[in-house]
């Protein structure tokens, strides 16, 4: 298949961000950072109000955006068509399947042409809907709007909802009277966005962010009082631990979790008592992780205790929940990773993964009988939701593959009956038979077998001529599901092979797969990705110089690393909000995410070995005089996770150092943060830009 030729225009000279040498010593090693000045001294203020950014930094960033506009000159009409294609695959008035809770069933939907969700409910057994919150209306007149939590109260009279209007992930929570549709006068600011109600609906718990943008305090807000009077229920003192709230499926307990990437500590809070104090389950022990559910007089605990690398399930008395009283319920089985567990009144439901494919396992409490739900495709995505209720015999699962649109099925636990609830509609049409999805394995340099999920048009000839978009992440134990994505069809239908590299640093092959891709073993992640590209070449799917690599956030760090490691393999690199200045960020304990990230990457200030490891691969610090593929970096000015100066510094150093190749382009969203544009159609414009760049990389640039 031929890809239509994009028009070429001479590129202007790339911006040259001035170097202002900044030198410092760490562990006896001298580090020179010529572009440190791009980090605004008032960066915390910029997160809240982008207008206070230093004028010289703003000028440099605007110059980059002007160059990006020139780099895409002539492709505007093509990008518009891509957006129209992708939008045509979206059911614009789509809705979720209503979830029953007491007298109502709750759901979200979109209106035709709407950017933001409508939060709705209807009578449990059907009937007219009520729009509780209109996201489009709340977003009117705002350049950015992101709806956080929208949590209805147990008595169904109120809803706590959070919104971020800057892209900086500071959410303000308001309370809506669902009968009148009006918001109460009280507001709670600087939160993480969600709320957990007290059982009597008299107030709610929330997590407050500190001055360094870290979620550290759980507070209780009672309705009718000022937020200034909110009581601190728990405050985390360790800057390396973040706090989040949850709730047991039984609705009996609020869960306060303090955790980093390796260690967790959970406190129970009686949801029925507005004056309750938190009670610890098991004090934190380095590298002990656990999650908690509740069933009768027992807690159901998912944990890696006792060397259970891929996790096991234990029980403990509610009254004495400490580790000394933990008893195995579902033993540890090496190679089978238990991902999550939910306790219903009569059943225990768990999601587990083996050989990179998931399954749902159902266990009857009374008999211990188990059965599983799995599928036969080579690669697929599977998840489940237990809904709002505890005393139920129905769970809802979601299934898709790279060729099969998402299906929603209600599974009746007692009978095994399956009720089809919804299939993802593709209005412009989609025939799964036109596509092929496969699972391949690449051999890493150390012999590990790295899974690859891929999809392509059935008529693609495997002679190496096809272009390929290879996606990767590989950090924090996050797995990349082989799910259906309508957006990628705009490349696949133009002859691209789309592939996901399930590299180490994720958990596709269990917890060991994660541990083998972090800290001193981080370079396995990068070598795995390169091996995946090479395996696709060897199997005839593509050729060197016809692969475009794509990743975001920590996956953007991966992009920077492989650009340094194997530039000739790639035609292009798309790095979204790329974490590329790893060393400087991990040395700066004032940044929001740095202390909690030390378990993932190491603490280079305190640990000399960690310093040398990070220095050896940090993309910014390892830019070298060589030819680089074309690179597109996408970022957001108000991003608290990957700050704007990381990609800006990286792009500046690349241009000043590289001996050929390129171009290197930075596109900065001046009104958004880590997630990019918040509206569902605005986001399509960013995807279209990236895919246009991918095609340009294959066809070549005219400099």
């Amino acid at each position: 298949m031929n890809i239509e030729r994009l028009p070429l225009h001479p590129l202007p000279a790339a911006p040259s961000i001035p170097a202002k040498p900044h030198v410092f010593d760490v562990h006896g090693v001298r580090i020179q950072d010529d572009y440190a000045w791009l980090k605004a001294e008032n960066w915390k203020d910029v997160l809240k109000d982008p207008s206070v950014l230093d004028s010289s930094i703003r000028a440099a960033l605007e110059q980059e955006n002007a160059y990006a506009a020139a780099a895409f000159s002539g492709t505007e009409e093509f990008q518009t068509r891509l957006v129209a294609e992708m939008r045509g695959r979206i059911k614009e008035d789509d809705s979720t399947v209503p979830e029953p809770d007491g007298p109502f069933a709750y759901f979200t939907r979109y209106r035709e042409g709407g950017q933001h969700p409508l939060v709705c409910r209807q009578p449990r057994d059907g009937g007219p809907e009520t729009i509780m919150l209109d996201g489009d209306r709340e977003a009117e007149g705002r350049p950015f709007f992101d709806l956080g939590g929208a949590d209805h109260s147990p008595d169904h009279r109120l809803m706590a909802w959070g919104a971020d209007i800057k892209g900086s992930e500071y959410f303000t929570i308001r309370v809506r009277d669902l009968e009148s549709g009006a918001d109460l006068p009280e507001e709670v600011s600087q939160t993480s966005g969600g709320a957990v109600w007290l059982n009597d609906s008299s107030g709610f718990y929330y997590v407050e962010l500190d001055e360094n943008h870290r979620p550290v305090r759980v507070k209780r807000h009672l309705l009718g009082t000022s937020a200034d009077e909110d009581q601190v229920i728990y405050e985390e003192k360790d800057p390396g631990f973040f706090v989040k709230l949850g709730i047991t499926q039984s609705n009996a307990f609020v869960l306060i979790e303090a955790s980093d990437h390796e260690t967790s500590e959970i406190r129970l809070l009686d949801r029925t008592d507005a004056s309750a104090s938190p009670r610890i389950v098991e004090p934190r022990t380095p590298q002990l992780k656990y999650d908690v559910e509740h069933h009768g007089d027992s807690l159901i605990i998912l944990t890696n205790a006792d060397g259970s690398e891929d996790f096991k399930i234990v029980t403990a008395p509610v009254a004495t929940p400490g580790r000394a009283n933990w008893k195995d319920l579902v033993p540890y089985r090496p190679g089978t990773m238990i991902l999550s567990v939910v306790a219903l009144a009569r059943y225990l439901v768990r999601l587990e993964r083996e050989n990179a494919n998931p399954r749902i396992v159902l266990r009857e409490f009374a008999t211990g009988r188990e059965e599983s739900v799995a599928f036969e495709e080579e690669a697929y995505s599977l998840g489940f939701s237990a809904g709002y209720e505890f005393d139920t015999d129905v769970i809802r699962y979601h299934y898709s593959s790279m060729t099969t649109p998402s299906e929603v099925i209600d599974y009746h636990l007692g009978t095994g009956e399956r009720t089809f609830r919804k299939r993802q509609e593709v209005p412009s049409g989609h025939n799964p038979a036109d596509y092929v999805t496969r699972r391949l394995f690449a051999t890493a340099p150390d012999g590990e077998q790295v899974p690859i999920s891929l999809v392509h048009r059935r008529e693609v000839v495997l002679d190496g001529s096809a272009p390929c978009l290879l996606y990767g992440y590989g950090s924090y134990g996050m797995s990349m599901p082989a799910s259906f994505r309508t957006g990628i069809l705009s490349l696949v239908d133009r002859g691209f092979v789309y592939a996901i590299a399930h590299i180490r640093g994720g958990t596709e092959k269990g917890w060991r797969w994660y541990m083998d891709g972090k800290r001193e073993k981080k370079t396995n992640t990068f070598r795995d990705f390169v091996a995946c590209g090479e395996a696709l070449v060897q199997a005839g799917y593509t050729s060197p110089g016809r692969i475009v690599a794509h990743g975001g956030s920590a996956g953007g760090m991966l992009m920077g690393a492989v650009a340094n490691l194997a530039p000739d393999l790639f035609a292009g690199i798309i790095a979204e909000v790329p974490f590329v200045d790893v060393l400087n960020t991990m040395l700066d304990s004032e940044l929001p995410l740095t202390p909690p990230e030390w378990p993932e990457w190491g603490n280079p200030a305190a640990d000399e070995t960690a310093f040398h490891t990070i220095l050896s691969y940090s993309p910014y610090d390892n830019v070298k005089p060589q030819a680089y593929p074309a690179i597109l970096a996408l970022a957001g000015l108000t991003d608290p996770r990957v700050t704007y100066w990381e990609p800006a510094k990286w792009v500046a150093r690349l241009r000043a150092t590289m001996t050929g190749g390129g171009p290197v382009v930075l596109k900065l969203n001046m009104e958004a943060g880590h997630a990019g544009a918040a509206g569902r159609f605005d986001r399509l414009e960013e995807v279209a830009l990236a895919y246009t760049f991918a095609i340009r990389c294959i066809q070549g640039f005219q400099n």
Side-chain angles (χ1 to χ4, degrees):
M1 288 179 286
N2 294 319
I3 305 172
E4 60 200 282
R5 297 293 305 183
L6 298 182
L8 292 174
H9 297 282
L11 276 176
S16 178
I17 294 178
K20 300 179 182 180
H22 169 66
V23 179
F24 58 99
D25 292 305
V26 184
H27 300 299
V29 177
R30 175 148 292 194
I31 306 293
Q32 180 166 329
D33 185 357
D34 289 345
Y35 304 100
W37 68 272
L38 288 169
K39 175 187 173 184
E41 292 183 5
N42 65 337
W43 62 267
K44 294 179 186 178
D45 297 326
V46 173
L47 286 179
K48 297 178 180 179
D49 182 4
S51 69
V52 301
L53 181 66
D54 175 86
S55 60
S56 62
I57 298 174
R58 180 177 293 277
L61 300 179
E62 290 176 345
Q63 193 176 27
E64 290 293 343
N65 277 344
Y67 179 69
F72 286 93
S73 177
T75 68
E76 293 85 358
E77 186 272 336
F78 179 72
Q79 291 181 57
T80 299
R81 280 195 286 120
L82 281 185
V83 169
E85 279 180 22
M86 291 187 284
R87 187 163 176 168
R89 301 188 194 103
I90 296 173
K91 188 177 187 300
E92 292 206 8
D93 58 351
D94 202 7
S95 63
T96 62
V97 179
E99 290 272 14
D101 185 19
F104 297 102
Y106 291 84
F107 61 101
T108 60
R109 70 172 179 85
Y110 289 87
R111 61 168 55 90
E112 209 54 58
Q115 293 267 25
H116 301 279
L118 312 180
V119 183
C120 307
R121 71 181 180 189
Q122 64 186 39
R124 183 186 183 104
D125 297 324
E129 72 167 29
T130 298
I131 298 175
M132 301 185 295
L133 186 138
D134 185 332
D136 290 323
R137 180 175 299 171
E138 300 297 337
E140 281 179 7
R142 303 184 189 278
F144 183 91
F145 176 82
D146 183 24
L147 180 64
D151 305 291
H152 63 271
S153 60
D155 65 6
H156 305 279
R157 294 186 306 106
L158 304 167
M159 182 176 66
W161 64 282
D164 167 22
I165 60 172
K166 298 288 187 182
S168 56
E169 299 179 45
Y170 283 110
F171 290 84
T172 296
I173 296 176
R174 296 170 175 83
V175 178
R176 178 153 298 181
D177 183 317
L178 295 179
E179 183 174 348
S180 69
D183 286 334
L184 304 182
E186 52 210 292
E187 293 185 358
V188 182
S189 61
Q190 209 157 306
T191 80
S192 59
V196 176
W197 285 92
L198 288 159
N199 259 3
D200 64 1
S201 305
S202 63
F204 56 84
Y205 298 97
Y206 64 93
V207 177
E208 183 178 64
L209 280 59
D210 69 7
E211 62 278 1
N212 286 322
H213 206 281
R214 296 173 185 150
V216 298
R217 281 182 290 275
V218 174
K219 286 187 167 184
R220 180 165 49 220
H221 178 75
L222 298 179
L223 298 181
T225 66
S226 167
D228 295 336
E229 301 172 25
D230 290 355
Q231 182 182 356
V232 176
I233 304 301
Y234 174 76
E235 182 166 9
E236 178 56 49
K237 301 299 185 183
D238 186 337
F241 277 64
F242 279 6
V243 175
K244 65 180 180 181
L245 285 174
I247 190 168
T248 59
Q249 186 70 23
S250 67
N251 289 312
F253 295 105
V254 177
L255 303 174
I256 300 174
E257 179 180 343
S259 63
D260 61 15
H261 297 296
E262 294 183 339
T263 303
S264 55
E265 179 181 75
I266 294 176
R267 287 168 170 79
L268 304 176
L269 198 58
D270 186 344
R271 198 178 178 212
T272 66
D273 183 358
S275 62
S277 297
R279 187 162 58 91
I280 199 165
V281 174
E282 170 64 20
R284 67 188 67 174
T285 299
Q287 299 185 22
L288 174 67
K289 292 181 67 69
Y290 65 95
D291 292 319
V292 172
E293 265 286 23
H294 168 241
H295 188 263
D297 294 330
S298 298
L299 298 181
I300 309 291
I301 301 172
L302 175 63
T303 180
N304 66 348
D306 309 315
S308 304
E309 184 178 59
D310 289 325
F311 292 79
K312 64 178 179 177
I313 299 173
V314 303
T315 63
V318 171
T320 55
R323 186 172 175 181
N325 298 315
W326 292 4
K327 294 182 179 179
D328 284 7
L329 179 65
V330 179
Y332 164 54
R333 291 166 296 155
T336 300
M337 184 172 178
I338 305 177
L339 302 169
S340 62
V341 62
V342 171
L344 300 172
R346 286 170 291 280
Y347 296 90
L348 187 71
V349 186
R350 69 182 187 265
L351 180 65
E352 59 186 37
R353 184 166 53 232
E354 186 175 16
N355 291 326
N357 273 338
R359 62 173 170 258
I360 298 168
V361 182
L362 320 164
R363 180 188 183 99
E364 190 173 37
F365 277 116
T367 65
R369 176 182 62 88
E370 288 194 352
E371 59 184 273
S372 63
V373 178
F375 295 86
E376 297 301 321
E377 286 193 83
E378 286 187 39
Y380 61 86
S381 173
L382 179 66
F384 78 92
S385 166
Y388 293 107
E389 299 183 324
F390 178 64
D391 189 4
T392 179
D393 291 341
V394 178
I395 65 166
R396 180 167 292 164
Y397 70 78
H398 306 255
Y399 170 82
S400 75
S401 75
M402 297 181 81
T403 59
T404 306
S406 176
E407 297 177 346
V408 181
I409 309 290
D410 279 355
Y411 188 90
H412 298 259
L413 300 170
T415 64
E417 178 187 356
R418 305 184 190 202
T419 303
F420 180 83
R421 298 303 303 271
K422 180 182 178 181
R423 177 177 289 111
Q424 179 182 358
E425 294 183 40
V426 183
S428 60
H430 173 72
N431 182 5
D434 292 340
Y435 304 88
V436 175
T437 185
R438 294 291 314 279
R439 168 66 54 76
L440 305 181
F441 289 87
T443 301
D446 62 358
E448 285 283 4
Q449 296 297 293
V450 185
I452 307 168
S453 300
L454 63 85
V455 63
H456 60 80
R457 294 280 305 188
R458 189 167 294 278
E459 60 266 33
V460 165
V461 179
L462 304 185
D463 61 359
S465 62
C468 174
L469 189 77
L470 179 60
Y471 182 84
Y473 188 76
S475 291
Y476 306 117
M478 292 180 63
S479 62
M480 297 294 107
S483 56
F484 187 69
R485 298 168 172 85
T486 59
I488 65 171
L489 297 177
S490 286
L491 288 181
V492 172
D493 285 345
R494 288 174 168 80
F496 271 74
V497 174
Y498 178 82
I500 303 171
H502 301 291
I503 50 185
R504 276 175 281 186
T507 51
E508 284 88 343
K509 295 180 72 173
W511 196 256
R512 179 188 65 84
W513 202 242
Y514 167 46
M515 297 302 291
D516 277 355
K518 65 184 294 187
R519 285 198 300 266
E520 70 278 1
K521 298 181 179 180
K522 188 63 208 172
T523 53
N524 285 337
T525 303
F526 317 139
R527 296 191 183 104
D528 284 359
F529 189 85
V530 172
C532 288
E534 293 171 343
L536 290 167
V537 170
Q538 292 164 6
Y541 285 96
T542 190
S543 299
R546 291 187 69 75
I547 302 173
V548 179
H550 185 197
S553 196
M557 178 202 58
L558 167 69
M559 296 299 99
V562 300
N564 291 333
L565 189 64
D568 294 340
L569 183 61
F570 305 106
I573 303 280
I574 301 171
E576 298 194 52
V577 288
F579 176 39
V580 284
D581 194 11
V582 184
L583 181 63
N584 282 306
T585 294
M586 288 297 100
L587 285 169
D588 189 348
S589 62
E590 292 298 308
L591 290 173
L593 292 186
T594 293
E597 297 290 278
W598 286 331
E600 183 77 15
W601 315 104
N603 182 347
D607 182 346
E608 186 172 356
T609 300
F611 166 77
H612 286 288
T613 298
I614 294 172
L615 181 61
S616 73
Y617 69 74
S618 175
Y620 176 66
D621 296 283
N622 286 275
V623 171
K624 62 190 73 171
Q626 63 181 9
Y628 278 86
I631 293 174
L632 173 64
L634 300 170
L637 180 60
T638 57
D639 187 348
R641 299 172 185 258
V642 177
T643 49
Y644 73 85
W645 58 84
E646 290 205 33
K649 289 170 61 177
W650 179 51
V651 164
R653 179 169 278 183
L654 279 165
R655 290 206 197 107
T657 309
M658 60 195 288
T659 59
V664 177
V665 180
L666 171 62
K667 176 73 167 61
L668 193 79
N669 190 327
M670 304 296 279
E671 295 175 335
H674 195 68
R680 58 176 179 157
F681 301 133
D682 290 342
R683 173 59 184 156
L684 293 181
E685 295 178 6
E686 296 180 347
V687 176
L689 188 81
Y691 288 177
T692 300
F693 185 81
I695 293 171
R696 262 279 173 84
C697 290
I698 298 301
Q699 295 182 348
F701 288 81
Q702 181 174 329
N703 290 292

Short mmCIF file of all heavy atoms in Angstrom, two decimals, residues 113-138:
data_model
loop_
_atom_site.label_atom_id
_atom_site.label_comp_id
_atom_site.label_asym_id
_atom_site.label_seq_id
_atom_site.Cartn_x
_atom_site.Cartn_y
_atom_site.Cartn_z
N GLY A 113 -20.71 16.18 19.18
CA GLY A 113 -19.83 17.34 19.08
C GLY A 113 -19.23 17.79 20.41
O GLY A 113 -18.41 18.70 20.43
N GLY A 114 -19.63 17.15 21.51
CA GLY A 114 -19.15 17.58 22.82
C GLY A 114 -17.74 17.10 23.11
O GLY A 114 -17.34 15.99 22.74
N GLN A 115 -16.97 17.94 23.79
CA GLN A 115 -15.59 17.62 24.14
C GLN A 115 -15.49 16.89 25.48
O GLN A 115 -14.57 16.11 25.70
CB GLN A 115 -14.76 18.92 24.24
CG GLN A 115 -14.58 19.65 22.93
CD GLN A 115 -13.28 19.24 22.25
OE1 GLN A 115 -12.76 18.16 22.46
NE2 GLN A 115 -12.76 20.13 21.42
N HIS A 116 -16.42 17.16 26.38
CA HIS A 116 -16.29 16.71 27.76
C HIS A 116 -17.49 15.86 28.17
O HIS A 116 -18.58 15.99 27.60
CB HIS A 116 -16.14 17.92 28.69
CG HIS A 116 -14.96 18.78 28.38
ND1 HIS A 116 -13.68 18.47 28.79
CD2 HIS A 116 -14.85 19.92 27.64
CE1 HIS A 116 -12.84 19.38 28.35
NE2 HIS A 116 -13.53 20.28 27.65
N PRO A 117 -17.32 15.00 29.18
CA PRO A 117 -18.40 14.08 29.53
C PRO A 117 -19.56 14.76 30.26
O PRO A 117 -19.39 15.78 30.93
CB PRO A 117 -17.71 13.08 30.46
CG PRO A 117 -16.55 13.83 31.04
CD PRO A 117 -16.09 14.76 29.96
N LEU A 118 -20.72 14.15 30.12
CA LEU A 118 -21.88 14.48 30.92
C LEU A 118 -22.03 13.36 31.95
O LEU A 118 -22.05 12.18 31.60
CB LEU A 118 -23.15 14.55 30.06
CG LEU A 118 -23.08 15.37 28.76
CD1 LEU A 118 -24.43 15.33 28.05
CD2 LEU A 118 -22.67 16.80 29.05
N VAL A 119 -22.11 13.73 33.21
CA VAL A 119 -22.27 12.75 34.28
C VAL A 119 -23.76 12.64 34.58
O VAL A 119 -24.41 13.64 34.91
CB VAL A 119 -21.49 13.18 35.54
CG1 VAL A 119 -21.60 12.12 36.63
CG2 VAL A 119 -20.01 13.43 35.20
N CYS A 120 -24.31 11.42 34.45
CA CYS A 120 -25.77 11.25 34.44
C CYS A 120 -26.20 10.10 35.34
O CYS A 120 -25.40 9.27 35.76
CB CYS A 120 -26.26 10.94 33.01
SG CYS A 120 -25.72 12.10 31.75
N ARG A 121 -27.50 10.06 35.57
CA ARG A 121 -28.11 8.90 36.22
C ARG A 121 -29.54 8.75 35.72
O ARG A 121 -30.11 9.67 35.13
CB ARG A 121 -28.08 9.03 37.74
CG ARG A 121 -29.03 10.06 38.33
CD ARG A 121 -28.89 10.11 39.84
NE ARG A 121 -29.78 11.11 40.45
CZ ARG A 121 -29.73 11.46 41.73
NH1 ARG A 121 -28.83 10.91 42.55
NH2 ARG A 121 -30.58 12.36 42.20
N GLN A 122 -30.09 7.58 35.97
CA GLN A 122 -31.47 7.29 35.63
C GLN A 122 -32.01 6.31 36.67
O GLN A 122 -31.23 5.74 37.45
CB GLN A 122 -31.57 6.67 34.23
CG GLN A 122 -30.88 5.32 34.12
CD GLN A 122 -30.85 4.79 32.69
OE1 GLN A 122 -30.66 5.53 31.75
NE2 GLN A 122 -31.04 3.49 32.55
N PRO A 123 -33.32 6.12 36.77
CA PRO A 123 -33.84 5.11 37.69
C PRO A 123 -33.20 3.75 37.41
O PRO A 123 -32.90 3.41 36.25
CB PRO A 123 -35.34 5.11 37.39
CG PRO A 123 -35.61 6.49 36.89
CD PRO A 123 -34.40 6.87 36.09
N ARG A 124 -33.01 2.97 38.46
CA ARG A 124 -32.27 1.71 38.35
C ARG A 124 -32.81 0.80 37.24
O ARG A 124 -32.04 0.18 36.51
CB ARG A 124 -32.31 0.99 39.70
CG ARG A 124 -31.51 -0.31 39.73
CD ARG A 124 -31.68 -1.05 41.04
NE ARG A 124 -30.87 -2.26 41.06
CZ ARG A 124 -29.73 -2.39 41.75
NH1 ARG A 124 -29.28 -1.37 42.47
NH2 ARG A 124 -29.05 -3.51 41.72
N ASP A 125 -34.10 0.70 37.13
CA ASP A 125 -34.70 -0.20 36.15
C ASP A 125 -35.02 0.48 34.83
O ASP A 125 -35.79 -0.05 34.01
CB ASP A 125 -35.97 -0.83 36.75
CG ASP A 125 -35.65 -1.70 37.96
OD1 ASP A 125 -34.59 -2.35 37.96
OD2 ASP A 125 -36.45 -1.69 38.92
N GLY A 126 -34.46 1.66 34.61
CA GLY A 126 -34.68 2.37 33.37
C GLY A 126 -35.61 3.55 33.53
O GLY A 126 -36.39 3.61 34.49
N GLY A 127 -35.51 4.48 32.63
CA GLY A 127 -36.34 5.67 32.71
C GLY A 127 -35.56 6.89 32.27
O GLY A 127 -34.43 6.78 31.78
N PRO A 128 -36.15 8.07 32.43
CA PRO A 128 -35.49 9.29 31.95
C PRO A 128 -34.21 9.58 32.73
O PRO A 128 -34.11 9.33 33.93
CB PRO A 128 -36.55 10.37 32.19
CG PRO A 128 -37.43 9.82 33.26
CD PRO A 128 -37.45 8.34 33.05
N GLU A 129 -33.25 10.14 32.01
CA GLU A 129 -31.97 10.48 32.64
C GLU A 129 -32.02 11.86 33.28
O GLU A 129 -32.82 12.71 32.91
CB GLU A 129 -30.84 10.46 31.61
CG GLU A 129 -30.88 11.63 30.65
CD GLU A 129 -29.60 11.79 29.83
OE1 GLU A 129 -28.92 10.79 29.57
OE2 GLU A 129 -29.30 12.93 29.42
N THR A 130 -31.12 12.04 34.24
CA THR A 130 -30.85 13.35 34.81
C THR A 130 -29.38 13.65 34.59
O THR A 130 -28.51 12.83 34.91
CB THR A 130 -31.13 13.37 36.33
OG1 THR A 130 -32.52 13.09 36.55
CG2 THR A 130 -30.80 14.73 36.93
N ILE A 131 -29.09 14.81 33.99
CA ILE A 131 -27.70 15.23 33.83
C ILE A 131 -27.26 15.90 35.13
O ILE A 131 -27.74 16.98 35.47
CB ILE A 131 -27.53 16.19 32.64
CG1 ILE A 131 -27.93 15.49 31.34
CG2 ILE A 131 -26.09 16.68 32.55
CD1 ILE A 131 -27.91 16.41 30.12
N MET A 132 -26.38 15.25 35.85
CA MET A 132 -25.91 15.79 37.12
C MET A 132 -24.83 16.84 36.92
O MET A 132 -24.74 17.81 37.67
CB MET A 132 -25.38 14.66 38.01
CG MET A 132 -26.43 13.58 38.31
SD MET A 132 -25.81 12.35 39.47
CE MET A 132 -24.48 11.61 38.51
N LEU A 133 -24.01 16.63 35.89
CA LEU A 133 -22.95 17.61 35.61
C LEU A 133 -22.67 17.60 34.12
O LEU A 133 -22.49 16.53 33.51
CB LEU A 133 -21.67 17.27 36.39
CG LEU A 133 -20.55 18.30 36.27
CD1 LEU A 133 -19.88 18.54 37.62
CD2 LEU A 133 -19.49 17.84 35.26
N ASP A 134 -22.64 18.77 33.53
CA ASP A 134 -22.42 18.95 32.09
C ASP A 134 -21.00 19.47 31.90
O ASP A 134 -20.71 20.65 32.11
CB ASP A 134 -23.45 19.94 31.55
CG ASP A 134 -23.38 20.10 30.04
OD1 ASP A 134 -22.28 19.91 29.48
OD2 ASP A 134 -24.41 20.44 29.43
N GLY A 135 -20.09 18.57 31.52
CA GLY A 135 -18.69 18.96 31.36
C GLY A 135 -18.48 20.03 30.32
O GLY A 135 -17.64 20.91 30.48
N ASP A 136 -19.26 19.98 29.23
CA ASP A 136 -19.12 21.01 28.19
C ASP A 136 -19.48 22.39 28.74
O ASP A 136 -18.81 23.38 28.45
CB ASP A 136 -20.02 20.67 26.99
CG ASP A 136 -19.53 19.46 26.22
OD1 ASP A 136 -18.31 19.30 26.09
OD2 ASP A 136 -20.38 18.68 25.75
N ARG A 137 -20.53 22.44 29.53
CA ARG A 137 -20.95 23.73 30.08
C ARG A 137 -19.90 24.25 31.07
O ARG A 137 -19.57 25.44 31.07
CB ARG A 137 -22.30 23.59 30.77
CG ARG A 137 -22.82 24.89 31.37
CD ARG A 137 -24.22 24.72 31.92
NE ARG A 137 -25.15 24.34 30.86
CZ ARG A 137 -26.40 23.95 31.08
NH1 ARG A 137 -26.86 23.86 32.33
NH2 ARG A 137 -27.19 23.64 30.07
N GLU A 138 -19.37 23.37 31.91
CA GLU A 138 -18.38 23.81 32.88
C GLU A 138 -17.10 24.28 32.20
O GLU A 138 -16.36 25.12 32.73
CB GLU A 138 -18.05 22.68 33.86
CG GLU A 138 -19.23 22.15 34.66
CD GLU A 138 -19.85 23.19 35.57
OE1 GLU A 138 -19.15 24.16 35.93
OE2 GLU A 138 -21.04 23.04 35.92
#
